[in-house]
Amino acid sequence: MPSKKRTLMPMTWTPILDILADLGAATVSSLWLPALVWTIFAMPVYVGLQRCQFNVHLQYRVRQGLFFALPIGLLLGIAGPRVLDLDLFAPAVRPPPNLPVPDPPLSSSPETISSHQAFSWAWLHAFGLLTVAACAIGAYRLSRFLADILALVRFRNRGDLCKSPSVQHLTNRLADKLTVHRPVRTWVTSGDIVPQTVGAFRPTIVVPKTLTDDQEALRMTLTHELVHVRRYDCLAQWVERLVASLFAIHPGVGILCRSITHFREQSCDATVLDTEACARSQYAALLYRFSASLNSRNSVALRIGDLHPSLHDRIRAMHEYPSSASRWSPLPRFAIGLLMFGLVVGIAACSDVGDKPTAPSTESITQAEKHAEVLLSGQVVDSQTGEAIPRVNIVRMYEAEEQSSHVGFGEGVATTNEDGEFAADELRPGSHKLMVSCVGYEDKTREIDVTAESPQTMTIELRRETKSLPEIEVSASDTE
């Protein structure tokens, strides 16, 4: 049988590049720029905390404030413009009904038509790929977080959990002493587990049955877990895990989240030693006891035990940190609150979500030409389909005498809007050489002469550039 040849059609990458560019343009100023600002300000503070031995309560709260500044700032950047648009803080100034509303002025410069034109298209592609990677990693980490929550639900429904009236009575007494205003349940299990607190809204303390034989150890353990309940640490840890999953691509977020977990336990240890007035060696022995049987790695449950490297730091902190259990004065609290507020406002100010300019219509361009002296205007279209091409950059190339005093090969004079229209209002009279470029299209160069007496209007056609792979021939032959 004669062989059959099949020719695979060439693959075009232009739609994929357009999608990545649009995705990068949508996230560069709304996500990555605020994340960069957060990194610049938060990481030096984190390094300073690592090098200085401050109060453990101060260390814990500052780290927590730095961590939550990023999502709160991003949320304010998203919701802020929408709240202001609702006129909740000031009445809108509207013209009288008999007066015509003036058309918005046309601004065709790259800085005003599109806020992301400051970034080159290659950078937009990179930010688009980074956004795709962030979504993929965040989805994976979020699935692990949900799996931990489901495992925690199954743990609470275990059949070997039972109530102990004496342990519950001791829990109620300690809760009253620590001013815990929420009801806390205590369960005893025969399994070899580490004492832990589960449930963000209905806290439940689970202790092993072997712990009930040692009343002093049971008292220190319950005090430790009740401190977590009083401070809503379980809820805070859930939110921290959620934020860390969404920003998993940022290594600083993960580092700070693990540091918060570490200092949360140190802060709780300091409170227990101050409340119970127990010996440090006795409390340290209790921590070592449960670190040996640490078999639960669920990260959404609060445990008194810890892994050995972190446990050594907790024991050392009991002796090295100054006045760990003492309360810190209101002045540091005010300073920290002011610092966190400034960081949140800075992050929100860097985000321009919701403040994207709208493309002016054809009537707006006509009205703007009457009020402003535009020497060159027109539209850029596809040479094959005749459709308008948005986001086309029009650059005036420097003359030979200008090369020595400028960086680059030219200056941007206009960018097309969503209708493919442009108005080069910054172009001066004279002879100019313009380069018209857009992603997915071949660059085009035109020489024009513009005068103040006779403004020009032109239509520029661009030819689509197709990047294709070489054809692949697949041969197949029938064999008997």
Side-chain angles (χ1 to χ4, degrees):
M1 296 291 292
S3 61
K4 300 178 180 179
K5 294 185 178 181
R6 297 179 181 177
T7 302
L8 300 181
M9 296 301 294
M11 180 182 297
T12 176
W13 297 98
T14 302
I16 298 178
L17 294 177
D18 290 342
I19 293 175
L20 289 178
D22 292 339
L23 187 60
T27 57
V28 60
S29 298
S30 60
L31 177 61
W32 300 116
L33 182 59
L36 177 62
V37 172
W38 177 83
T39 305
I40 293 175
F41 285 94
M43 289 299 103
V45 176
Y46 172 78
V47 173
L49 291 175
Q50 290 290 100
R51 295 182 177 272
C52 301
Q53 292 184 350
F54 293 115
N55 185 295
V56 291
H57 303 301
L58 179 65
Q59 294 259 13
Y60 170 54
R61 293 305 182 185
V62 171
R63 283 171 166 82
Q64 208 172 39
L66 289 176
F67 183 84
F68 286 112
L70 178 59
I72 294 176
L74 289 175
L75 290 177
L76 287 179
I78 295 173
R82 290 170 171 78
V83 173
L84 294 178
D85 289 342
L86 297 178
D87 301 333
L88 298 180
F89 300 99
V93 178
R94 298 180 177 88
N98 295 330
L99 295 180
V101 180
D103 293 327
L106 172 67
S107 178
S108 59
S109 61
E111 291 79 11
T112 55
I113 282 187
S114 182
S115 61
H116 61 262
Q117 290 299 328
F119 299 90
S120 66
W121 285 104
W123 279 109
L124 291 181
H125 293 147
F127 281 114
L129 285 174
L130 188 62
T131 304
V132 173
C135 293
I137 298 175
Y140 170 72
R141 293 289 299 272
L142 190 61
S143 64
R144 292 185 55 185
F145 172 63
L146 296 177
D148 287 342
I149 293 179
L150 293 178
L152 191 62
V153 173
R154 290 193 298 267
F155 174 78
R156 295 184 63 169
N157 296 330
R158 289 174 52 173
D160 59 343
L161 298 179
C162 60
K163 294 182 179 180
S164 174
S166 59
V167 176
Q168 185 64 51
H169 179 68
L170 179 60
T171 302
N172 295 337
R173 287 173 49 196
L174 294 175
D176 293 338
K177 180 180 179 180
L178 295 172
T179 64
V180 178
H181 303 292
R182 293 188 294 166
V184 182
R185 296 183 301 177
T186 306
W187 296 89
V188 179
T189 178
S190 57
D192 185 18
I193 68 166
V194 178
Q196 53 193 278
T197 300
V198 296
F201 304 101
R202 294 184 302 168
T204 300
I205 301 176
V206 182
V207 297
K209 188 176 181 180
T210 56
L211 189 63
T212 58
D213 298 332
D214 189 346
Q215 290 296 316
E216 187 63 25
L218 178 63
R219 186 181 185 89
M220 289 187 294
T221 301
L222 293 177
T223 303
H224 181 98
E225 302 303 326
L226 286 172
V227 171
H228 284 312
V229 174
R230 183 181 65 180
R231 301 188 310 190
Y232 292 86
D233 285 344
C234 192
L235 178 61
Q237 182 161 283
W238 282 36
V239 178
E240 291 161 8
R241 275 292 311 278
L242 178 61
V243 173
S245 299
L246 296 177
F247 294 92
I249 196 171
H250 195 311
V253 174
I255 293 173
L256 193 56
C257 184
R258 291 188 293 270
S259 179
I260 290 173
T261 302
H262 181 64
F263 276 92
R264 178 185 290 117
E265 296 300 327
Q266 288 193 18
S267 176
C268 191
D269 295 339
T271 304
V272 172
L273 293 175
D274 182 57
T275 303
E276 289 297 313
C278 57
R280 298 176 185 267
S281 59
Q282 188 178 7
Y283 187 73
L286 177 66
L287 298 181
Y288 274 114
R289 171 183 175 182
F290 291 114
S291 65
S293 60
L294 187 61
N295 55 9
S296 175
R297 297 299 302 274
N298 195 308
S299 57
V300 295
L302 295 171
R303 308 181 303 266
I304 189 175
D306 211 337
L307 299 177
H308 281 287
S310 300
L311 186 58
H312 294 162
D313 294 338
R314 290 173 63 179
I315 301 301
R316 186 175 64 252
M318 296 181 188
H319 303 278
E320 294 182 358
Y321 286 170
S323 304
S324 296
S326 62
R327 295 182 178 272
W328 33 305
S329 61
L331 182 60
R333 295 186 180 186
F334 176 77
I336 293 172
L338 189 62
L339 176 64
M340 296 302 108
F341 176 77
L343 182 57
V344 168
V345 172
I347 295 173
C350 293
S351 177
D352 67 346
V353 175
D355 194 21
K356 297 182 179 180
T358 58
S361 60
T362 307
E363 296 181 358
S364 300
I365 292 182
T366 305
Q367 291 293 334
E369 290 178 351
K370 296 179 181 179
H371 299 283
E373 186 178 353
V374 180
L375 302 182
L376 178 64
S377 62
Q379 187 180 33
V380 181
V381 298
D382 192 297
S383 61
Q384 296 179 354
T385 63
E387 296 180 354
I389 307 176
R391 298 189 298 273
V392 178
N393 295 322
I394 302 176
V395 178
R396 184 186 71 84
M397 304 183 68
Y398 292 135
E399 300 292 340
E401 59 272 10
E402 295 180 290
Q403 292 289 344
S404 59
S405 59
H406 293 83
V407 179
F409 64 91
E411 62 175 350
V413 294
T415 302
T416 60
N417 56 23
E418 295 299 326
D419 297 326
E421 300 166 343
F422 68 92
D425 54 356
E426 296 183 357
L427 196 63
R428 298 183 299 272
S431 299
H432 303 285
K433 186 177 182 180
L434 303 180
M435 186 181 72
V436 185
S437 61
C438 181
V439 173
Y441 291 87
E442 297 179 356
D443 297 345
K444 190 169 187 177
T445 305
R446 293 192 61 170
E447 296 184 359
I448 60 170
D449 294 324
V450 293
T451 60
E453 293 78 12
S454 58
Q456 295 189 27
T457 301
M458 63 175 57
T459 300
I460 304 175
E461 297 182 353
L462 293 184
R463 182 182 302 173
R464 182 173 289 273
E465 177 186 34
T466 303
K467 297 180 180 180
S468 60
L469 296 176
E471 295 183 355
I472 302 175
E473 293 186 355
V474 180
S475 301
S477 60
D478 297 336
T479 59
E480 295 182 356

